[in-house]
Amino acid sequence: MTDCVFCAIVAEDVPSHTVHETPDALAFLDANPLAKGHTLVVPKAHYEQLDDVPAETASGFYDAVHDVVPAVEAAVDAPATTVAVNNGEAAGQEVPHVHAHIVPRFEDDAAGPIHALFRGRPTVSKDEHTTLADAIVDHL
Ligand code: AMP
């Protein structure tokens, strides 16, 4: 059996509440949900972080996210979802197999936007914005 729990779920060695399966991706309920209906979407093949996923699998992975989001919202009558990826250990990723969290959201759930993850904001000058944008462009 694989060491990766999500690979084990894909292989059906570990049970899951699977809600959607495509050639590239699998979606199943999170075992420790942040809200009822919290669902994870994973590429079936093992990739640790988003930039490890090859383009053809990435589009299949996103297609599954795209299809599962409205189904989760409808199932729990949620007007919204937070869709998020903890991309790397420093970002809080605990299972090193790419996964998108789809968490149902409600006006009164008090969880806040993903901006609430960060207490402070850096001051970024116009010049720094230009430098940062150039650096990102250079790496694309
Ligand atoms: P992350 O911190 O982004 O790596 O999140 C990992 C998520 O995987 C957590 O929300 C866990 O509750 C969830 N998880 C871990 N093991 C299982 C499992 N066997 N079945 C379903 N969800 C799991």
Side-chain angles (χ1 to χ4, degrees):
M1 207 211 287
T2 167
D3 281 347
C4 170
V5 66
F6 291 169
C7 286
I9 287 173
V10 170
E12 298 184 359
D13 291 332
V14 165
S16 71
H17 290 283
T18 289
V19 298
H20 188 53
E21 181 167 11
T22 71
D24 288 321
L26 191 75
F28 50 88
L29 295 184
D30 193 296
N32 302 289
L34 297 172
K36 288 181 183 177
H38 179 174
T39 298
L40 301 174
V41 180
V42 305
K44 282 183 172 172
H46 185 89
Y47 301 106
E48 199 164 321
Q49 291 189 224
L50 282 174
D51 54 329
D52 299 325
V53 181
E56 55 283 8
T57 306
S59 58
F61 170 60
Y62 182 75
D63 286 346
V65 172
H66 176 265
D67 289 345
V68 170
V69 163
V72 168
E73 291 181 358
V76 297
D77 204 16
T81 37
T82 290
V83 180
V85 176
N86 293 323
N87 194 40
E89 211 176 326
Q93 183 179 4
E94 288 183 358
V95 177
H97 181 135
V98 170
H99 52 284
H101 292 261
I102 300 173
V103 186
R105 297 297 308 272
F106 299 88
E107 295 291 349
D108 59 353
D109 66 15
I114 58 169
H115 296 70
L117 290 170
F118 297 86
R119 283 182 199 92
R121 305 269 164 103
T123 304
V124 186
S125 69
K126 258 187 176 172
D127 283 351
E128 279 176 298
H129 268 302
T130 304
T131 307
L132 289 164
D134 288 346
I136 293 167
V137 170
D138 284 349
H139 285 87
L140 284 168

